[in-house]
Amino acid sequence: MGRKVISRIALRAENDAAEAAEAAKEQDTTVTPKKKKKAAKRKSRSKTQVDIPKRLYWGVFNQSLKLVARFDFNQKKHAMKKAEELNKAGKSPHFVQKIKEEIIEE
């Protein structure tokens, strides 16, 4: 089946005729009431976020996401060693992941 060829010249003529008819209609209505501008919506104030100080640790987790051991952030090598030792022991696989904890001031 072939496609129907669209005559762009005919479509343009129809569009121009429709626009001319609308323009004539608008000119016939002599006085149109002016619309009032709506008041601008006031932006809602968002609460300022309070930065809570956090500290990073390395955590050794087992397969069920239970924390087995926690090391300071600068002791990643020790955390990796601990995970390898636990893996060699034949227990479930262990992995190392970052932990972010809030610093609680007393």
Side-chain angles (χ1 to χ4, degrees), residues 26-81:
E26 287 180 8
Q27 288 177 357
D28 288 342
T29 56
T30 54
V31 178
T32 57
K34 292 183 180 180
K35 294 182 181 179
K36 291 183 179 179
K37 291 184 179 180
K38 292 184 180 179
K41 276 192 172 180
R42 185 175 148 210
K43 293 183 180 179
S44 62
R45 295 180 185 169
S46 61
K47 295 181 180 178
T48 56
Q49 293 183 348
V50 178
D51 291 335
I52 300 171
K54 294 184 180 182
R55 186 169 181 174
L56 279 173
Y57 295 101
W58 289 109
V60 179
F61 293 89
N62 64 7
Q63 193 172 9
S64 61
L65 299 177
K66 184 176 177 186
L67 180 64
V68 178
R70 182 175 65 174
F71 296 90
D72 286 333
F73 191 74
N74 60 356
Q75 296 178 341
K76 184 176 181 180
K77 291 180 182 178
H78 297 291
M80 296 296 283
K81 280 184 183 179

Side-chain angles (χ1 to χ4, degrees), residues 11-30:
L11 289 174
R12 179 63 184 243
E14 287 177 17
N15 187 25
D16 290 342
E19 286 179 358
E22 283 184 31
K25 241 186 209 181
E26 287 180 8
Q27 288 177 357
D28 288 342
T29 56
T30 54

Side-chain angles (χ1 to χ4, degrees), residues 60 77 79-89 94 96:
V60 179
K77 291 180 182 178
M80 296 296 283
K81 280 184 183 179
K82 178 74 172 180
E84 288 176 15
E85 289 173 7
L86 292 171
N87 286 338
K88 287 181 183 177
H94 291 75
V96 177

